[in-house]
Amino acid sequence: MSVTTVDDRARYRANPSVLTALKNPRMLTREVLAGLVVGLALIPEAIAFSVIAGVDPKVGLFSSFIMAVSIAFLGGRPAMVTAATGAVALVIAPVAPMYGLDYFIATVILAGIFQVILGVVGVAKLMRFIPRSVMVGFVNALAIFVFSSQFPQLIDVPWLVYPLVALGILVMIVMPKITKIVPAPLVSVVIVTGVVLTFAITVPTVGDQGELPRSLPSLFLPDVPLTWETFTIIAPFALGVAVVGLLESLLTAKLVDEITDTHSRKSREAWAQGVANVLSGIFGGMGGCAVIGQTMINVKASGARTRISTFCAGIFLFLLVVVFGDFVGTIPMAALVAVMIMVAIGAFDWHSIRPSTLKRMPKSETFVMVATVVLVLITHNLAVGVVGGVLVASVLFVRRVAHFVTVSRTVSGSVARYVVDGELFFASSNDLTTLFSYSDDPSRVVIDLSGSHVWDASTVAALDAIETKYAALGKTVEIVGMNDASERMRGRLTGGFE
């Protein structure tokens, strides 16, 4: 049983807290306005992701509303935004066209259940095995994704879209130098929309992306048979959604931790994502996970730090599409494109590609970062890129550590003494048997392992093989200097490989 100490509670205590924000009018204003900006930015993406998933736009919008509101109360990372996402949409896309909406919703609910289970068993602890170079690659790939996803809104459009986007970017660059009370992205959206409406400029708008819902989401219990056959149909897709969603959410939470210099409860975030997906499915939503773009708008561009901003994002999203749908439909896409371009620029780790950094950084670290980016861009799947990056980093690490093992030999009278230095595991111990002079050694051999550690069965098997080779020549072997852990492992496994 794990025990949470006073220091642990202080480490994970939200700073600033919701109560602090409620007592501070300036901070509360910033949180609420940040939520408004995020709510606006969620609309076109939720519609676009619904199209990718092959469902009605309201499915994505309802999902974003429900997940943002629920995660504001349940999540372990304050100020992080959860909604419908492209990563989840890509994984679940085949379900609706092949099996229908009921199976689609059942898949979302099952994915949420899987995430709750994974969260409870502590899968979030695996985050510690993701190297910094993979994290940098994840962030850079995501920034490229956010930037490239704006291209459809910039191709084959009226030429006035381009100066409007430039105006929006200019406002966001200049506004923070004047005041930070009002989020620059919100000012940018208001100004660009005002210009379009004042001069009656005809450009693509949010309303052109799809029909907005006019009512509250209602309970949607999928009409599917509760059989093993149904489970085998939806389980692979549900597991894919669960893994991709958790990976993207936990990496985003880690990124927000670094930006805000605070800690968050990753295990709580994991099961909370599952609960949010279950609720999304029950109300007819498509499910999702943390959204890096809107989270960066919330945390980095708007300066939000509490759950208030996430809650407001969900509430404003609902109000904007249901109550003020006609007005929201008039917002030019150019205004939101400008916001997302600035988010992409701000999210990219420019320090990682500076010549001075590349010159100083080990080539293996840079290779892992580039490999992660390339894998994400090729597969259009963040999970594949991150898992691939971790595998590349692991292989390079194993290769590097394996080369650190050295064996030195000295002969004194009738005794040959071998001193082994380095970590002994499958990659380094496979060649260990080739480093001894069996025929040339005297009748007694001493192998000193005081400078090494036995990590696995491969090493124990290698030591057994060395003893066997010497025994065949009528020579005795004495292994000395093992630490307690190595001695226990060898005592348990030795002699069991014949």
Side-chain angles (χ1 to χ4, degrees):
M1 183 178 69
S2 62
V3 179
T4 301
T5 65
V6 174
D7 289 340
D8 289 332
R9 289 195 293 269
R11 182 171 183 248
Y12 291 110
R13 186 178 294 120
N15 184 27
S17 66
V18 170
L19 186 60
T20 300
L22 291 174
K23 292 179 179 178
N24 187 323
R26 182 170 181 172
M27 188 182 298
L28 180 61
T29 300
R30 184 180 65 196
E31 297 290 318
V32 172
L33 293 179
L36 176 57
V37 176
V38 172
L40 283 169
L42 283 173
I43 295 172
E45 290 206 357
I47 295 173
F49 297 150
S50 298
V51 173
I52 292 173
V55 294
D56 192 270
K58 68 180 181 181
V59 176
L61 290 166
F62 284 159
S63 182
S64 295
F65 156 62
I66 293 165
M67 296 193 75
V69 171
S70 59
I71 211 71
F73 292 97
L74 301 172
R77 173 62 263 177
M80 191 169 76
V81 180
T82 293
T85 60
V88 168
L90 287 170
V91 175
I92 204 173
V95 179
M98 293 173 61
Y99 303 104
L101 184 61
D102 287 285
Y103 277 83
F104 180 92
I105 299 301
T107 302
V108 173
I109 295 173
L110 183 59
I113 294 172
F114 282 157
Q115 286 181 327
V116 171
I117 295 172
L118 291 171
V120 170
V121 300
V123 71
K125 294 177 182 177
L126 296 176
M127 286 296 296
R128 71 185 66 178
F129 296 108
I130 298 180
R132 182 186 179 280
S133 52
V134 174
M135 186 68 185
V136 172
F138 163 79
V139 171
N140 288 348
L142 218 42
I144 295 171
F145 260 156
V146 171
F147 185 81
S148 61
S149 66
Q150 308 312 307
F151 290 168
Q153 303 297 334
L154 298 173
I155 299 174
D156 294 329
V157 293
W159 69 270
L160 285 172
V161 167
Y162 305 112
L164 288 172
V165 171
L167 173 62
I169 293 174
L170 180 63
V171 171
M172 282 182 283
I173 293 174
V174 174
M175 189 65 191
K177 298 177 181 178
I178 300 173
T179 179
K180 293 184 179 180
I181 296 178
V182 182
L186 177 59
V187 177
S188 175
V189 170
V190 170
I191 290 177
V192 174
T193 303
V195 169
V196 169
L197 295 179
T198 300
F199 296 98
I201 301 173
T202 302
V203 290
T205 63
V206 170
D208 298 330
Q209 306 302 303
E211 185 180 356
L212 301 178
R214 301 291 183 181
S215 62
L216 282 166
S218 57
L219 285 175
F220 187 107
L221 297 178
D223 184 16
V224 296
L226 299 178
T227 62
W228 177 252
E229 182 182 0
T230 300
F231 181 80
T232 57
I233 290 173
I234 66 175
F237 297 104
L239 185 59
V241 169
V243 173
V244 169
L246 279 184
L247 190 56
E248 186 165 350
S249 298
L250 294 175
L251 284 172
T252 303
K254 187 176 179 181
L255 178 61
V256 177
D257 287 353
E258 294 180 359
I259 292 172
T260 60
D261 195 25
T262 57
H263 300 280
S264 59
R265 298 182 183 275
K266 304 299 189 300
S267 293
R268 174 176 171 177
E269 186 63 45
W271 64 255
Q273 290 286 332
V275 174
N277 270 303
V278 170
L279 292 173
S280 172
I282 290 175
F283 284 95
M286 62 175 281
C289 60
V291 278
I292 184 70
Q294 279 71 18
T295 297
M296 289 300 99
I297 292 174
N298 196 43
V299 175
K300 207 165 186 179
S302 302
R305 291 293 182 271
T306 75
R307 300 175 185 276
I308 296 173
S309 59
T310 309
F311 174 76
C312 288
I315 295 299
F316 279 129
L317 171 63
F318 170 74
L319 293 175
L320 287 168
V321 298
V322 175
V323 181
F324 302 104
D326 292 336
F327 171 73
V328 171
T330 65
I331 295 175
M333 286 303 298
L336 299 179
V337 168
V339 172
M340 298 309 291
I341 287 176
M342 289 301 291
V343 167
I345 293 173
F348 194 90
D349 188 348
W350 297 99
H351 180 267
S352 66
I353 60 171
R354 288 178 185 170
S356 59
T357 303
L358 296 175
K359 185 177 180 179
R360 185 174 64 255
M361 193 70 64
K363 289 183 174 57
S364 59
E365 297 282 325
T366 302
F367 180 78
V368 170
M369 185 268 287
V370 173
T372 303
V373 173
V374 171
L375 284 171
V376 171
L377 296 180
I378 289 176
T379 63
H380 295 275
N381 190 317
L382 292 167
V384 171
V386 171
V387 172
V390 171
L391 290 176
V392 171
S394 300
V395 170
L396 292 176
F397 173 76
V398 168
R399 182 174 177 272
R400 185 165 63 249
V401 172
H403 290 164
F404 287 159
V405 173
T406 60
V407 177
S408 58
R409 173 179 180 262
T410 57
V411 178
S412 178
S414 62
V415 178
R417 185 179 185 85
Y418 288 88
V419 178
V420 182
D421 285 311
E423 304 302 310
L424 295 175
F425 62 111
F426 64 90
S428 58
S429 60
N430 284 336
D431 293 330
L432 190 63
T433 56
T434 66
L435 303 177
F436 291 80
S437 303
Y438 301 99
S439 300
D440 298 333
D441 283 338
S443 59
R444 183 165 174 257
V445 178
V446 176
I447 302 175
D448 185 354
L449 297 181
S450 57
S452 60
H453 185 99
V454 176
W455 286 103
D456 59 7
S458 295
T459 303
V460 177
L463 294 174
D464 284 357
I466 292 170
E467 287 186 313
T468 300
K469 287 179 180 289
Y470 277 115
L473 297 172
K475 301 175 182 181
T476 60
V477 176
E478 182 183 1
I479 298 177
V480 300
M482 274 191 180
N483 57 40
D484 291 341
S486 298
E487 192 70 62
R488 285 195 299 271
M489 177 169 286
R490 184 164 184 259
R492 187 171 68 252
L493 300 176
T494 188
F497 303 101
E498 296 180 357

